[in-house]
Amino acid sequence: MSDQAITPNATHAGPCAIVIFGAAGDLTKRLVVPALYNLTTGKLLPERFALIGVDVADLSTDQWRQRLADMMQSFTKGGGEFQTDRIDEAAWKSLATRMTYLRGDFGDDTTFLRLADLLAEQERTAHTDGNVLFYLAVADRHFGQVAEKIAAASLADQQGGKRWRRVIVEKPFGHDYASAKALNARLLKILSEDQIFRIDHFLGKETVQSILATRFANGIFEPIWNRDHIDHVQITAAETIGVERRGRFYEQTGAVRDMVPNHVFQLLTMTAMEPPSSFDPDAVRSRKNDILNAIPPVTIDCAVRGQYAPGTVLGQRVGGYRQEPDVSASSSVETYAALKLEIDTWRWAGVPFYLRTGKRMSKRWTEIAIHFRRAPLSLFKGTDVATMGSNWLILQIQPDEGISLQYQVKRPGQTVTLAPIKMSFAYKDWFPPQPNVGYETLIYDCMIGDASLFQRADMVEAGWRIVQPVIDAWTAQQPADFPNYQAGSAGPAAADRLIAGGGCAWRPMSEKS
Ligand code: BG6
């Protein structure tokens, strides 16, 4: 066990109100409100606080609270992302009593005028000091319009710094480079960059946040973290789930848009960035952006797409993508993508980064695997050692968060032979589990105004720029071989050929690898 207690962040969130647009939706129920509950139990929500939910659904405040309470109770029965034995009634009550529901259409100006009145009332009764966090938990087509209506009702006005007004924008932020650029331009007409918090929920994951600590709080890694010592890097984000009830969304999206310019690039930039001069949000984000700017757009010969056929996942027979609800029977949308990237910097020139992400894979498995150059064999000439094994440093993001280092030892015995072994650190062995749906830190950071874990406009655009040629080529050309991987497998054979072309092989997705 760790000998250091876990202490909450030293900065405390000041008085504020949170307004959730899309209050009757799934995201609110499954993630945002459970995260607020966890912040309540962790005593990280301000005393002077109000929560306003806005949606078109015909609900009263009591009905909204009850729906959310029912959802929270379902978590005790194993439903949803948040697993817990019991809901702390006092904490829930303290949160629920601060909730108000406002029924209104997002396209209707009067909704925002009524919201302005409600916020003014909450400022008087809950003493929120006029600070407001607007959470856009709505379909992406509403982002621009809701933000404009917030601004038109003077709700984004920070009154020269007397109060703060911030807006959380959910994913997807655009569908390609042009639409992301257009959305940024639309938002930046009415809000300043430091008012916009573009969420990428991968940055809410504890292990993703800890990549920087691992790299920069330890003297041993940085000297070897470069092209002189690293052969290549593999980033995997594999899921066992299919597209579930999101067929309609996924048909317009596909694996690249859904995962790569956002989540996978966050893992990549955390791994590859130069040390920032401080933890100042812009210092961190600028170093990440430097990496994105140093990646040339991916050419089509460095990209492989796949779509799952029926198969067996975790012992269950499942259908193929084309059999999913709301999916075309001849769909050419990819559910798997593998890419090879280069980063043109002094640190990384010549080191390939291989990325892959897919649905209905054999295992839920997200890792960053760093493959170091082999040691020279010379010393072992004349022994039974024919080849040298590899050194891997694995940052395991999910499941079973941890870090492991694979290296060679001498096998006990009279002859000289080597065996690969693994030194492993698992978070769960050192730290007590913390109730977490992944949104707690993000919401908390937004309340304290720390944008480090949020995407800046230039980062979002740079991410889309890198994958745009692949999106264009795949849209223009139908795949000849879809479906081309079985559900429950490790992806299409073409992805193996992609990495084999560089003399490498994908790591198996298993603890034993
Ligand atoms: C979302 C994608 O952003 O991330 C989903 O839209 C994907 O398709 C999900 O399943 C993966 O996130 P996590 O936290 O479950 O790994």
Side-chain angles (χ1 to χ4, degrees):
M1 265 294 145
S2 147
D3 57 0
Q4 290 202 337
I6 293 177
T7 49
N9 195 324
T11 317
H12 284 287
C16 67
I18 296 185
V19 177
I20 307 176
F21 289 94
D26 240 29
L27 181 72
T28 302
K29 275 194 295 194
R30 288 191 306 111
L31 296 163
V32 181
V33 168
L36 290 170
Y37 164 79
N38 284 335
L39 288 174
T40 311
T41 57
K43 311 232 175 308
L44 290 169
L45 217 54
E47 285 292 317
R48 288 150 58 190
F49 177 78
L51 179 62
I52 299 173
V54 186
D55 215 320
V56 286
D58 188 8
L59 296 173
S60 65
T61 291
D62 280 342
Q63 286 167 325
W64 184 51
R65 284 182 190 152
Q66 192 52 50
R67 274 191 175 197
L68 296 171
D70 294 345
M71 188 73 189
M72 293 300 294
Q73 283 306 332
S74 76
F75 294 136
T76 61
K77 300 178 187 91
E81 346 291 289
F82 176 38
Q83 310 284 322
T84 184
D85 297 341
R86 56 176 278 276
I87 301 298
D88 176 337
E89 287 305 328
W92 175 252
K93 199 165 158 213
S94 120
L95 180 63
T97 50
R98 294 188 274 179
M99 292 178 179
T100 312
Y101 184 80
L102 175 68
R103 184 186 169 207
D105 194 310
F106 306 140
D108 185 349
D109 291 341
T110 58
T111 304
F112 295 80
L113 298 177
R114 284 161 50 226
L115 176 61
D117 289 343
L118 189 54
L119 280 169
E121 184 191 317
Q122 297 284 1
E123 190 177 337
R124 282 192 306 274
T125 54
H127 309 288
T128 53
D129 286 358
N131 301 322
V132 184
L133 168 54
F134 297 99
Y135 197 128
L136 308 192
V138 294
D140 58 322
R141 63 179 185 283
H142 296 303
F143 292 162
Q145 187 194 41
V146 174
E148 280 164 0
K149 294 214 178 286
I150 288 171
S154 301
L155 295 176
D157 181 0
Q158 308 201 85
Q159 298 185 340
K162 276 200 255 147
R163 64 188 196 187
W164 55 256
R165 297 286 161 115
R166 299 177 188 137
V167 179
I168 292 188
V169 187
E170 262 294 334
K171 180 182 162 267
F173 198 96
H175 291 277
D176 54 15
Y177 177 66
S179 57
K181 210 169 155 60
L183 181 56
N184 271 330
R186 195 167 170 191
L187 295 179
L188 286 165
K189 254 195 207 146
I190 45 171
L191 301 165
S192 58
E193 177 61 39
D194 61 8
Q195 289 181 285
I196 307 172
F197 288 69
R198 300 173 191 80
I199 273 204
D200 183 313
H201 82 273
F202 261 47
L203 287 175
K205 295 183 193 288
E206 200 61 52
T207 22
V208 175
Q209 291 166 35
S210 76
I211 298 172
L212 294 196
T214 302
R215 284 189 58 197
F216 301 131
N218 297 293
I220 57 172
F221 295 121
E222 219 27 41
I224 55 168
W225 209 263
N226 56 50
R227 63 196 299 271
D228 295 335
H229 300 278
I230 293 178
D231 177 74
H232 75 279
V233 177
Q234 295 184 19
I235 300 181
T236 299
E239 300 181 90
T240 50
I241 55 169
V243 292
E244 300 182 299
R245 288 174 297 135
R246 299 162 74 219
R248 197 161 294 133
F249 160 80
Y250 208 82
E251 280 284 271
Q252 306 299 318
T253 310
V256 166
R257 287 185 165 98
D258 192 33
M259 295 292 289
V260 178
N262 31 62
H263 306 329
V264 179
F265 281 1
Q266 287 302 331
L267 303 181
L268 172 87
T269 51
M270 293 283 223
T271 309
M273 69 193 274
E274 294 298 319
S277 54
S278 71
F279 273 119
D280 172 74
D282 271 320
V284 175
R285 298 190 299 173
S286 293
R287 295 295 74 79
K288 287 183 173 179
N289 199 40
D290 291 344
I291 292 296
L292 295 171
N293 283 329
I295 301 176
V298 184
T299 53
I300 192 66
D301 54 318
C302 288
V304 167
R305 57 180 153 171
Q307 188 192 77
Y308 60 85
T312 304
V313 181
L314 305 173
Q316 299 278 322
R317 274 307 287 173
V318 298
Y321 176 67
R322 290 177 177 179
Q323 287 87 55
E324 301 279 12
D326 300 320
V327 168
S328 151
S330 57
S331 175
S332 56
V333 167
E334 83 284 357
T335 58
Y336 174 99
L339 305 177
K340 179 186 176 194
L341 305 179
E342 301 281 347
I343 304 177
D344 281 342
T345 61
W346 272 68
R347 186 190 284 266
W348 295 115
V351 179
F353 280 68
Y354 295 99
L355 320 178
R356 60 179 166 162
T357 181
K359 294 207 178 282
R360 286 288 192 223
M361 313 273 296
S362 54
K363 205 150 188 184
R364 179 168 184 249
W365 196 260
T366 304
E367 69 167 27
I368 300 164
I370 306 186
H371 186 253
F372 290 91
R373 292 190 188 285
R374 281 179 213 277
L377 189 65
S378 51
L379 176 65
F380 293 92
K381 276 193 191 127
T383 69
D384 289 343
V385 177
T387 54
M388 299 290 273
S390 307
N391 292 133
W392 287 97
L393 180 72
I394 313 297
L395 308 177
Q396 182 77 39
I397 308 297
Q398 58 193 17
D400 304 330
E401 297 85 347
I403 299 173
S404 62
L405 179 66
Q406 187 174 303
Y407 64 101
Q408 317 299 314
V409 295
K410 180 183 168 297
R411 205 184 283 278
Q414 285 64 50
T415 57
V416 178
T417 55
L418 301 178
I421 57 102
K422 204 155 87 170
M423 250 171 16
S424 299
F425 150 71
Y427 270 84
K428 64 175 175 356
D429 295 341
W430 283 78
F431 304 105
Q434 293 202 311
N436 197 342
V437 293
Y439 276 66
E440 291 78 357
T441 308
L442 297 173
I443 295 174
Y444 183 74
D445 279 5
C446 193
M447 287 192 290
I448 63 171
D450 182 343
S452 311
L453 296 177
F454 293 84
Q455 299 248 66
R456 221 169 47 186
D458 49 357
M459 297 164 71
V460 174
E461 291 175 19
W464 281 114
R465 180 189 53 75
I466 297 166
V467 295
Q468 191 63 49
V470 175
I471 293 175
D472 291 343
W474 286 355
T475 310
Q477 204 175 4
Q478 301 295 306
D481 59 348
F482 272 13
N484 61 353
Y485 72 97
Q486 267 191 354
S489 72
D496 297 339
R497 293 196 290 275
L498 175 77
I499 195 165
C504 315
W506 294 112
R507 282 170 44 78
M509 293 177 235
S510 116
E511 292 82 14
K512 294 193 190 68
S513 57

